[in-house]
Amino acid sequence: MLNVHDILETITMIQDENLDIRTITMGISLLDCIDADIDIACQKVYDKILRCAKDLVKTGEDIEKEYGIPIINKRISVTPIAIISAASKGDPVKFALTLEKAAQACGVNFIGGYSALVQKGFSAGDIELIQSIPEALSVTEHVCSSVNIGSTKTGINLDACALMGKIVRQAAEVTADRDCIGCAKLVVFCNAPEDNPFMAGAFHGVGEPDCIINVGVSGPGVVRAALAKAPDANITEVADIIKKTAFKITRMGQLVGMEASKRLGVPFGIVDLSLAPTPAVGDSVAHILEEIGLERCGTHGTTATLALLNDAVKKGGVMASSKVGGLSGAFIPVSEDAGMIDAARSGALSLEKLEAMTAVCSVGLDMIVLPGDTTADTIAAIIADEAAIGMVNFKTTAVRVIPAIGKKAGEELTFGGLLGTGPIMNINSNSSSKFISRGGQIPAPLQSLKN
């Protein structure tokens, strides 16, 4: 059984090393809200979210006070709205406005699920919802969107890649007066998990219960501090230190998840044990890699050290909880990680190196700012490349890029808060348009034939 004694060792981690519960996310099924009348469907959606999540924020705050554990975000994820909106005639942006209204009423930081799953093709509501994403993200503050365009089992929907290249570009353009913030709330996935508590990619999968609690933990600063105490350790010992540290972090996440589940009266789903960085000093995944022995993140050896880190985090986490899920590993969002920001500014970290790193980390090309004149076809090709890494390697990969409208490489976008500051990175200027214009489906790899 878990008890408070399991987390006593984390007191120093919380006070001095930026350890926190990054999010408690309540997943809510909206399948019973489907209605042919869009206004009735939206009212059902609003009513159900409030019924399920009205006490979510208060519960999180109560647990924070009682256990002294910082819980940074309280969030909601819902059934992909493309499934709900397909039965209704009308503008799907109405659902986005309903989600925004519900998020404000519940007091949560974000609500995810303005989403579509199109890895093998488009169903009735998918195109309409995807085309509405730029407007939906422009007129809302708390709504997040995601689209799954590929999987190991199905291959990659190249038509969806092409469409999402245009959507990302449009989302940047319609929020250009707000540092293109729309793109920071939009993720394009391959092999999207149904129980991910982290935004912007969270949605509540159709195989999930009616309502559930998922927890995301975070502690890059804790891992770095532990490694700093062993400067002469060999690489095997480094992996062992990371495993032991991840075990302690995950136990804290399990405790919070179980307590929230009990108080809210809904099942406890998973602990996502991802090391999610912030722009704060001492809370960086890049700095962990540098503690292992790199002069600067992005140099030769970066992919190897990140692979070691990701594997050790998973091994330590699964020993601490039988409910590990979501993404679970190490995130490398450029604008949200102080060390990544410094590495990108110095030129040590390139887009190509980041792509190589995504083969061994938790997600993919995350919070990367591109020059403002980057074309939709180039964005689509970046999405296709990243999806190919995920498809072939049986892993989740994602793309969250921000074309900085009106700005060039070497300049920066400043989002503030957890989203941080994004140095605009150089990209390859050669065209991928002919490849993207071919359309169709990239076939599933041989690895998919596991039955």
Side-chain angles (χ1 to χ4, degrees):
M1 292 291 292
L2 288 175
N3 55 57
V4 177
H5 297 291
D6 289 319
I7 62 165
L8 287 178
E9 288 183 280
T10 66
I11 299 302
T12 300
M13 300 177 186
I14 291 169
Q15 293 178 341
D16 302 329
E17 297 163 5
N18 297 300
L19 177 61
D20 59 58
I21 298 295
R22 184 55 48 85
T23 179
I24 293 178
T25 301
M26 176 177 280
I28 303 172
S29 172
L30 301 182
L31 294 175
D32 55 351
C33 300
I34 292 173
D35 197 285
D37 186 313
I38 191 169
D39 294 320
I40 293 175
C42 285
Q43 188 60 50
K44 288 181 177 180
V45 166
Y46 180 81
D47 291 344
K48 182 163 188 184
I49 292 173
L50 258 65
R51 186 168 67 250
C52 294
K54 66 182 186 300
D55 296 324
L56 176 62
V57 172
K58 182 180 183 302
T59 299
E61 291 172 348
D62 288 346
I63 293 172
E64 282 186 90
K65 292 174 185 175
E66 290 180 33
Y67 290 96
I69 300 170
I71 301 174
I72 306 303
N73 290 292
K74 294 83 179 175
R75 299 165 171 170
I76 297 168
S77 64
V78 299
T79 306
I81 292 297
I83 297 172
I84 311 304
S85 65
S88 307
K89 290 184 178 180
D91 186 354
V93 173
K94 283 189 174 183
F95 285 99
L97 293 171
T98 299
L99 296 179
E100 177 69 19
K101 181 182 174 184
Q104 292 181 11
C106 293
V108 295
N109 304 94
F110 288 109
I111 185 165
Y114 199 76
S115 307
L117 310 177
V118 296
Q119 56 267 25
K120 205 172 182 180
F122 302 96
S123 60
D126 293 331
I127 291 286
E128 191 174 22
L129 182 126
I130 291 172
Q131 290 176 337
S132 76
I133 287 174
E135 181 185 355
L137 297 181
S138 175
V139 299
T140 60
E141 182 181 352
H142 300 87
V143 174
C144 293
S145 179
S146 59
V147 178
N148 193 68
I149 53 84
S151 74
T152 301
K153 283 291 186 183
T154 65
I156 299 169
N157 183 345
L158 196 59
D159 293 316
C161 291
L163 178 57
M164 288 311 300
K166 296 174 184 175
I167 295 302
V168 170
R169 175 90 201 168
Q170 291 170 17
E173 290 170 350
V174 299
T175 57
D177 60 333
R178 287 165 280 166
D179 286 321
C180 308
I181 190 66
C183 294
K185 300 186 292 175
L186 173 60
V187 182
V188 186
F189 275 116
C190 177
N191 288 324
E194 296 190 341
D195 57 0
N196 166 27
F198 285 100
M199 299 296 171
F203 65 86
H204 187 71
V206 295
E208 295 285 297
D210 189 62
C211 187
I212 200 165
I213 286 290
N214 296 319
V215 171
V217 298
S218 181
V222 177
V223 175
R224 185 192 183 192
L227 292 175
K229 297 170 186 175
D232 299 320
N234 66 38
I235 203 66
T236 306
E237 292 166 340
V238 164
D240 197 48
I241 291 168
I242 296 170
K243 282 192 295 183
K244 291 176 180 177
T245 307
F247 178 91
K248 297 172 186 176
I249 294 170
T250 307
R251 292 296 269 184
M252 186 183 76
Q254 172 113 341
L255 174 66
V256 169
M258 291 176 65
E259 191 63 27
S261 169
K262 181 175 68 175
R263 297 185 186 196
L264 290 165
V266 300
F268 172 39
I270 57 94
V271 179
D272 187 318
L273 47 95
S274 296
L275 295 180
T278 72
V281 175
D283 201 24
S284 164
V285 169
H287 288 159
I288 297 174
L289 307 184
E290 291 166 6
E291 192 67 50
I292 293 174
L294 306 179
E295 180 179 358
R296 183 61 62 88
C297 179
T299 191
H300 306 293
T302 299
T303 306
T305 52
L306 181 60
L308 178 146
L309 172 64
N310 211 49
D311 179 66
V313 165
K314 291 178 189 291
K315 287 174 177 174
V318 296
M319 284 297 292
S321 173
S322 58
K323 290 180 172 286
V324 170
L327 297 163
S328 289
F331 290 173
I332 52 171
V334 174
S335 79
E336 298 176 9
D337 184 307
M340 295 285 180
I341 294 169
D342 290 342
R345 282 174 177 160
S346 71
L349 189 62
S350 67
L351 187 63
E352 290 76 14
K353 187 62 177 180
L354 281 163
E355 185 177 297
M357 293 164 68
T358 65
V360 299
C361 78
S362 283
V363 194
L365 297 172
D366 195 16
M367 288 302 291
I368 295 172
V369 187
L370 305 177
D373 60 357
T374 305
T375 67
D377 283 347
T378 296
I379 297 169
I382 291 171
I383 292 168
D385 276 347
E386 195 58 31
I389 291 173
M391 176 183 72
V392 171
N393 290 290
F394 286 97
K395 71 183 296 291
T396 301
T397 50
V399 173
R400 183 165 51 150
V401 294
I402 301 101
I405 304 302
K407 296 193 175 187
K408 300 178 181 178
E411 297 182 69
E412 295 188 354
L413 280 184
T414 300
F415 305 105
L418 287 176
L419 296 178
T421 299
I424 301 174
M425 304 188 77
N426 283 304
I427 63 169
N428 194 314
S429 61
N430 293 289
S431 174
S432 310
S433 293
K434 184 174 180 180
F435 160 59
I436 294 300
S437 69
R438 288 181 181 273
Q441 187 85 3
I442 296 178
L446 189 62
Q447 294 96 309
S448 68
L449 300 178
K450 288 285 188 179
N451 292 332

